[in-house]
Amino acid sequence: MALEKLPSNIRVHVVGAGPVGLLLTALLQRMEHVSVHLYEKRREYTRTRMVQLAPYLVADSVESYRADSIDGDSVEAIFDPPELHHGLTFRQSIPPDLMTLLKSWTLGFCPLNVIERAIGDLIDARGLQNVERKAALVTPEDAIAMLRPGDMLIDSTGSKSLLRDRLVPGGDGHEDANTHKVRLEYALVITFLYGQPYDCNEYCKYFKNAENARYKFIPMVHRTHYDGQVSHVTGIVNISAEEYEAMPSRVDGTWLRGNFPLVAQSMDRFIDCVKQETHGEILGDLEVVRIPLDLYRARNATNRQWLAAGANSHPFASSPVFLAGDSAIGSPYFQSISLGFECAMFLAGLVAERDLPLNDILDRYELFIYKQWLRVYMRSKMIKHNKDLFECLDDRLALLQKLHIY
Ligand SMILES: Cc1cc2nc3c(=O)[nH]c(=O)nc-3n(C[C@H](O)[C@H](O)[C@H](O)COP(=O)(O)OP(=O)(O)OC[C@H]3O[C@@H](n4cnc5c(N)ncnc54)[C@H](O)[C@@H]3O)c2cc1C
């Protein structure tokens, strides 16, 4: 491999200024001898869906890092103690302006575009000259052409990643060149606003769906948030592949009632139960987004195969390329941003260790991404399994068929 270490003055191209690209930029911005070019195709941040960051992102001890009830044990099984300590040490080096924001987003819900704008504003407000933001739709050819030998390229362009399927020699952009995908289910993600405090737990989910034989609205535990005036409630209704195909990607309650009355009736029954309990009203309409719930990963999260192949005029043979955020791993069930932020922190930590051989940087990032994949794969399968059981709790035979003990 021609390039043995990252250059002492390094130019990093971050393509995609969604939450993960922005976080990476904010982390790299505070490092000496690093300059960042951040490219974004959108003119404005308009995604208003409510998201929350996982508390493990700001953990200050191994105990708090693995406090999650679903995968706390997996974390200890997958990661070795030095790896966990390494991650916690990097968190302690995160500048206070950024850490304060991260902590606030683990406490309650926040619109996605508020997170994007806040990190963008922080980058601008620091008044440092080492970040250049460019409004541009970057093509794969642009990305390849912008690389000078030794430059670093980070693809944080989201689930439809610009470079994921070009990261291996011969990968020509076809979806399976470097992507492994598991389709868990098709779902409607339904959000509504409610004019009273409303909190949800597993009992609530069960009893409010008691009359819903086929379509159950399953709000996430902790997926409701009261901001002093309204509760934001988000949950999932499982639908079939045929129903998914027959729907536009985004609809409202009126459309749902006219076209999928059985789904709408289940929603309305659930909401009636909420109203009987807390005597409030729905504010506005339902917001319904249909999505396939996919788990996927890049088999290679870096271009180390290009670099290992040696002498070649292709820029990927002389510059390291990394995938971060939804570009590298995608997961359903409201956990993806946290996973992307975790990977961004790890990658920034590697860039900070300037004496590491490039081979080590690439290998460590690949291993880290693979371990995060194991963790989120097991976590997502567990959530899906629990959902499947929940949906047939009153049908003992159906329930037993889903319980494979050995
Ligand atoms: C309905 C729905 C609800 C969700 N709810 C949650 C939740 O509650 N919690 C959670 O953790 N996650 C949630 N997610 C997932 C979450 O939104 C993503 O995990 C997160 O946005 C990924 O961040 P990212 O920065 O990796 O990618 P993205 O957010 O996709 O950002 C990629 C950025 O790259 C830009 N870009 C793409 N291509 C190019 C190009 N060629 N040139 C220049 N710029 C480009 C895009 O404009 C975008 O700004 C939800 C997703 C959906 C669809």
Side-chain angles (χ1 to χ4, degrees):
M1 182 190 299
L3 189 69
E4 291 186 352
K5 281 190 182 180
L6 294 177
S8 43
N9 283 309
I10 183 161
R11 200 166 76 136
V12 183
H13 304 271
V14 178
V15 184
V20 172
L22 286 161
L23 180 71
L24 258 163
T25 302
L27 291 168
L28 297 174
Q29 186 183 25
R30 294 297 293 266
M31 292 179 194
E32 282 182 19
H33 310 298
V34 176
S35 62
V36 182
H37 294 233
L38 175 62
Y39 306 82
E40 172 56 49
K41 67 176 180 186
R42 289 183 290 161
R43 300 246 157 228
E44 275 181 72
Y45 290 115
T46 53
R47 297 180 295 184
T48 52
R49 60 179 173 259
M50 302 294 281
V51 299
Q52 185 177 21
L53 298 190
Y56 69 71
L57 280 176
V58 295
D60 55 6
S61 66
V62 173
E63 291 67 38
S64 55
Y65 185 75
R66 53 182 293 267
D68 189 277
S69 60
I70 300 179
D71 69 0
D73 290 343
S74 303
V75 165
E76 202 167 32
I78 295 171
F79 296 96
D80 294 329
E83 291 173 314
L84 292 175
H85 284 290
H86 190 266
L88 294 172
T89 307
F90 181 77
R91 278 165 177 59
Q92 280 155 18
S93 73
I94 294 178
D97 53 357
L98 188 54
M99 192 43 123
T100 306
L101 288 175
L102 293 174
K103 281 188 174 158
S104 70
W105 296 326
T106 63
L107 298 178
F109 284 85
C110 181
L112 180 56
N113 62 349
V114 169
I115 294 181
E116 292 175 316
R117 285 182 196 144
I119 306 180
D121 290 348
L122 178 140
I123 291 168
D124 297 340
R126 281 172 172 169
L128 300 170
Q129 304 304 313
N130 61 339
V131 172
E132 197 178 323
R133 299 178 69 168
K134 300 185 177 180
L137 169 70
V138 178
T139 64
E141 293 70 33
D142 295 334
I144 290 165
M146 69 179 57
L147 284 176
R148 293 193 309 231
D151 280 2
M152 183 170 171
L153 173 57
I154 301 175
D155 172 355
S156 49
T157 52
S159 57
K160 295 188 181 123
S161 163
L162 190 66
L163 299 171
R164 183 167 60 235
D165 291 309
R166 294 172 191 266
L167 272 198
V168 286
D172 48 7
H174 282 296
E175 198 189 48
D176 52 2
N178 186 35
T179 306
H180 175 68
K181 185 161 86 179
V182 181
R183 175 142 302 161
L184 291 179
E185 59 179 309
Y186 293 93
L188 299 180
V189 176
I190 302 184
T191 301
F192 62 87
L193 303 180
Y194 182 64
Q196 286 292 329
Y198 162 62
D199 221 343
C200 181
N201 61 27
E202 305 301 354
Y203 301 101
C204 158
K205 283 182 216 172
Y206 175 75
F207 287 110
K208 290 185 174 57
N209 277 300
E211 304 295 317
N212 294 337
R214 162 67 183 92
Y215 301 101
K216 297 186 195 302
F217 173 68
I218 309 186
M220 306 300 289
V221 181
H222 312 307
R223 276 304 297 179
T224 64
H225 166 61
Y226 186 64
D227 66 6
Q229 293 184 315
V230 292
S231 297
H232 299 255
V233 185
T234 300
I236 287 176
V237 177
N238 170 275
I239 55 171
S240 67
E242 294 73 33
E243 288 165 331
Y244 173 86
E245 290 302 336
M247 270 186 197
S249 57
R250 188 175 282 270
V251 302
D252 59 17
T254 311
W255 190 95
L256 200 66
R257 285 183 192 92
N259 294 276
F260 284 84
L262 296 179
V263 181
Q265 280 158 23
S266 293
M267 273 313 297
D268 289 338
R269 274 195 289 267
F270 188 98
I271 290 170
D272 283 345
C273 291
V274 175
K275 286 184 186 169
Q276 278 164 26
E277 206 174 72
T278 45
H279 313 292
E281 285 301 328
I282 294 288
L283 308 174
D285 202 348
L286 304 179
E287 200 183 291
V288 185
V289 181
R290 70 140 217 200
I291 43 175
L293 297 188
D294 290 338
L295 256 175
Y296 63 84
R297 78 173 178 109
R299 288 195 193 87
N300 298 271
T302 70
N303 65 333
R304 68 178 168 178
Q305 289 191 18
W306 276 102
L307 292 160
N312 186 324
S313 60
H314 194 291
F316 283 3
S318 49
S319 288
V321 184
F322 297 82
L323 303 177
D326 276 14
S327 263
I329 303 180
S331 61
Y333 308 131
F334 312 112
Q335 47 188 343
S336 237
I337 294 182
S338 303
L339 186 64
F341 275 15
E342 177 86 339
C343 296
M345 287 179 191
F346 188 81
L347 182 52
L350 289 174
V351 176
E353 289 188 54
R354 304 307 285 280
D355 288 333
L356 273 183
L358 182 57
N359 271 338
D360 286 6
I361 293 182
L362 296 162
D363 290 349
R364 281 171 62 177
Y365 191 66
E366 291 283 4
L367 182 63
F368 181 79
I369 291 285
Y370 185 63
K371 291 191 171 196
Q372 290 295 349
W373 163 252
L374 288 183
R375 175 184 180 186
V376 79
Y377 178 79
M378 291 196 287
R379 193 175 201 281
S380 303
K381 292 287 269 189
M382 174 72 88
I383 294 173
K384 169 75 172 114
H385 184 61
N386 288 350
K387 272 183 82 244
D388 288 348
L389 300 186
F390 177 85
E391 280 172 347
C392 62
L393 264 186
D394 293 320
D395 179 345
R396 193 180 299 173
L397 286 180
L399 185 62
L400 285 169
Q401 274 173 8
K402 292 196 168 116
L403 289 174
H404 302 290
I405 295 172
Y406 296 111

